[in-house]
């Protein structure tokens, strides 16, 4: 494909699109130029931000598409090899077990902030890839956190809602100072 993708604007918390439930995409529409271009644009926009995950509502498209990748340096799973760039359309998450992990998250739609959120340690997820092929993976640790965070965007949920302690929602500068101690 010759289409190179273009930068899209990332909307910020307060925009009503971020609170909507995003719509499923028909399997036959996945190969349409409109969806294929949106996926390329989301990829370019995520890397440029820079970020490691992006959901379509964050670029004002209320559709069930997420993109992400996990660098090896942030992969705390047993293999620790990282996760290559991945597109999931109409993702489904199955939470495995009752183990939760607390960690700090950021979001391209909540600029300049970090907050501590509990997430399921292990999940299974499935959905269509960018070619319309259904796939399934297991994930744990940061890989699982990232997919849970991005899928929340499709249901109108932003991570600040999930923070349990008021003092665990910080400006990036305060968060950096805390983590250097
Ligand atoms: Ni986010």
């Amino acid at each position: 494909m010759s289409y190179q993708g273009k930068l899209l604007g990332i909307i910020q918390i307060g925009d009503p699109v971020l609170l909507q439930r995003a719509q499923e995409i028909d399997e036959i529409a996945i190969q349409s130029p409109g969806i294929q271009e949106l996926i390329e644009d989301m990829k370019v926009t995520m890397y440029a931000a820079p970020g490691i995950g992006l959901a379509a509502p964050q670029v004002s498209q209320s559709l069930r598409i997420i993109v992400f990748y996990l660098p090896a340096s942030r992969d705390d799973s047993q293999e620790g090899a990282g996760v290559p760039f991945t597109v999931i359309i109409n993702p489904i998450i199955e939470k495995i077990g009752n183990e939760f992990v607390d960690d700090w998250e950021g979001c391209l739609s909540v600029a300049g902030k970090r907050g501590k959120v509990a997430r399921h340690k292990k999940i299974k997820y499935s959905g269509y890839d960018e070619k319309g092929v259904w796939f399934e993976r297991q994930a744990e640790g940061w890989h699982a956190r990232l997919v849970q965070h991005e899928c929340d965007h499709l249901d109108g949920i932003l991570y600040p809602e999930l923070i349990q302690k008021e003092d665990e929602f910080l400006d990036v500068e305060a968060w950096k100072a805390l983590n250097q101690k």
Side-chain angles (χ1 to χ4, degrees), residues 7-8 13 15 26 29 31-32 39-40 42 51 58 62 66 103 109 111-112 115 121 127 131 144-145 168 171 177:
L7 276 181
L8 301 172
I13 187 167
D15 190 306
D26 279 346
Q31 301 284 5
S32 70
I39 290 168
E40 279 303 306
M42 286 174 65
Q58 294 181 273
S62 196
I66 68 169
D103 210 341
S109 294
K121 186 181 179 186
K131 295 189 174 78
R145 172 174 300 276
E168 290 180 343
D171 289 332

Side-chain angles (χ1 to χ4, degrees), residues 53 58 106-110 149-150 153 158-159:
Q58 294 181 273
C107 178
L108 295 173
S109 294
V110 189
H149 174 117
E150 299 311 329
H153 278 296
L158 296 171
Y159 83 81

Side-chain angles (χ1 to χ4, degrees), residues 12-175:
Q12 292 297 307
I13 187 167
D15 190 306
V17 175
L18 292 172
L19 301 177
Q20 292 170 8
R21 185 186 183 279
Q23 295 302 302
E24 270 85 13
I25 294 168
D26 279 346
E27 188 184 348
I28 48 163
I30 293 172
Q31 301 284 5
S32 70
I35 296 298
Q36 290 294 310
E37 286 185 17
L38 174 59
I39 290 168
E40 279 303 306
D41 293 347
M42 286 174 65
K43 181 178 184 178
V44 166
T45 302
M46 178 191 78
Y47 280 107
I52 58 171
L54 188 68
Q58 294 181 273
V59 292
S60 304
Q61 299 294 320
S62 196
L63 296 168
R64 301 186 85 78
I65 304 174
I66 68 169
V67 300
F68 70 92
Y69 80 105
L70 187 67
S73 60
R74 292 184 71 168
D75 187 351
D76 55 352
S77 70
Q78 273 189 334
E79 300 78 24
V83 183
F85 178 77
T86 298
V87 177
I88 321 177
I89 298 163
N90 301 347
I92 294 171
I93 288 184
E94 189 187 321
K95 287 154 181 170
I96 300 173
N98 288 313
E99 237 182 306
F100 288 81
V101 187
D102 284 328
D103 210 341
W104 294 90
E105 295 185 9
C107 178
L108 295 173
S109 294
V110 189
K113 295 281 191 178
R114 294 289 185 276
K116 199 183 249 187
V117 178
R119 299 277 186 192
H120 267 88
K121 186 181 179 186
K122 289 184 183 172
I123 63 169
K124 203 189 265 186
Y125 64 84
S126 54
Y128 293 109
D129 70 9
E130 64 275 26
K131 295 189 174 78
V133 177
W134 192 262
F135 72 105
E136 183 182 294
R137 283 184 192 155
Q138 297 220 25
E140 64 173 83
W142 258 94
H143 181 191
R145 172 174 300 276
L146 188 50
V147 173
Q148 289 172 86
H149 174 117
E150 299 311 329
C151 286
D152 273 355
H153 278 296
L154 307 183
D155 292 326
I157 299 165
L158 296 171
Y159 83 81
E161 289 177 49
L162 307 176
I163 295 169
Q164 307 211 352
K165 296 179 192 156
E166 235 174 87
D167 62 350
E168 290 180 343
F169 187 41
L170 301 174
D171 289 332
V172 166
E173 293 310 315
W175 169 79

